[in-house]
Amino acid sequence: MQTLIAEEAIKQGLDKSPAVQDQITVIKLSVLSNAYIQDYLDNHKPGDEELKAEYERIKAGIVGSEYKARHILVESEADAQAIIDQLKKNPDDFAKLAEEKSLDTGSKANGGELGWFDLNSMVPEFGSAAAKLQNGQISDTPVKTEFGYHVIQLEDTRPIQAPPFDEVKAHLVEGVQQQKLKQQV
């Protein structure tokens, strides 16, 4: 159908119009540019040594810590304070209280366990409160966020770890190729 319509446009001389000529030129340049880029990417695949060097460069730039914590989320500050008071008497009850009282359906069944996280992945108030705690410490006061009031127990911290090379290799290939292409262009 498109071919028939194009043939009719040529019969009517529409291909001679300056506006149409400009559009044809732009489309031709776009097709040729895309062909060049694809050919370049197909013929300039980085080797393992180059990828490992890029991996090590990125890995060296990873700084900061990851945190492992539990929390109990409740609606009111009074409820959170009551839980904190209970935990001061028996800190080992944290998981049990999380299962009984937390509104966070994602962590409640696991005793409030959040797993390992980067502070930036949490709402600012929560991240800031977690960063001030020592391993094993429970927040002294309720932590207010947009979700409610949290009682936080910091379990552990560790330096942020880079994912294994094999997990990020495909992403590294893409990144190195894009850098090479940018230099070529």
Side-chain angles (χ1 to χ4, degrees):
M1 181 76 97
Q2 190 175 25
T3 302
L4 291 173
I5 292 171
E7 288 174 358
E8 190 59 34
I10 292 170
K11 282 182 191 173
Q12 293 181 20
L14 297 175
D15 60 322
K16 305 291 186 235
S17 154
V20 172
Q21 285 292 315
D22 288 346
Q23 289 179 19
I24 290 171
T25 300
V26 168
I27 291 170
K28 182 179 177 181
L29 289 173
S30 177
V31 169
L32 287 171
S33 295
N34 289 337
Y36 176 83
I37 289 169
Q38 191 59 54
D39 179 70
Y40 184 87
L41 294 175
D42 290 345
N43 292 304
H44 293 85
K45 299 208 184 288
D48 277 348
E49 282 184 29
E50 191 174 8
L51 294 174
K52 285 180 181 170
E54 179 66 3
Y55 175 74
E56 292 302 324
R57 184 190 69 75
I58 292 170
K59 193 171 145 182
I62 296 175
V63 294
S65 296
E66 291 181 302
Y67 295 77
K68 185 176 182 188
R70 293 179 180 272
H71 82 132
I72 301 170
L73 174 65
V74 292
E75 239 176 73
S76 75
E77 185 174 11
D79 289 345
Q81 190 59 56
I83 291 169
I84 290 170
D85 294 341
Q86 246 181 303
L87 290 170
K88 284 180 181 175
K89 295 174 190 164
N90 192 356
D92 294 337
D93 284 350
F94 198 98
K96 184 180 109 184
L97 288 172
E99 289 173 11
E100 291 173 5
K101 300 184 183 247
S102 185
L103 300 175
D104 181 2
T105 55
S107 69
K108 140 185 215 157
N110 298 327
E113 178 67 49
L114 295 171
W116 289 100
F117 58 89
D118 179 335
L119 292 179
N120 295 326
S121 66
M122 297 297 187
V123 291
E125 303 86 355
F126 189 99
S128 176
K132 293 175 185 169
L133 297 174
Q134 299 297 315
N135 289 352
Q137 186 180 5
I138 296 170
S139 52
D140 289 333
T141 58
V143 178
K144 184 180 187 317
T145 70
E146 62 191 87
F147 303 106
Y149 291 86
H150 304 261
V151 177
I152 305 169
Q153 180 182 38
L154 182 64
E155 294 186 311
D156 201 3
T157 60
R158 68 181 181 197
I160 293 177
Q161 299 174 348
F165 174 75
D166 290 336
E167 280 184 25
V168 294
K169 185 175 179 179
H171 183 70
L172 290 171
V173 167
E174 185 179 311
V176 169
Q177 283 186 310
Q178 290 299 322
Q179 288 172 15
K180 285 181 163 185
L181 178 62
K182 188 175 179 182
Q183 288 172 348
Q184 178 67 16
V185 171

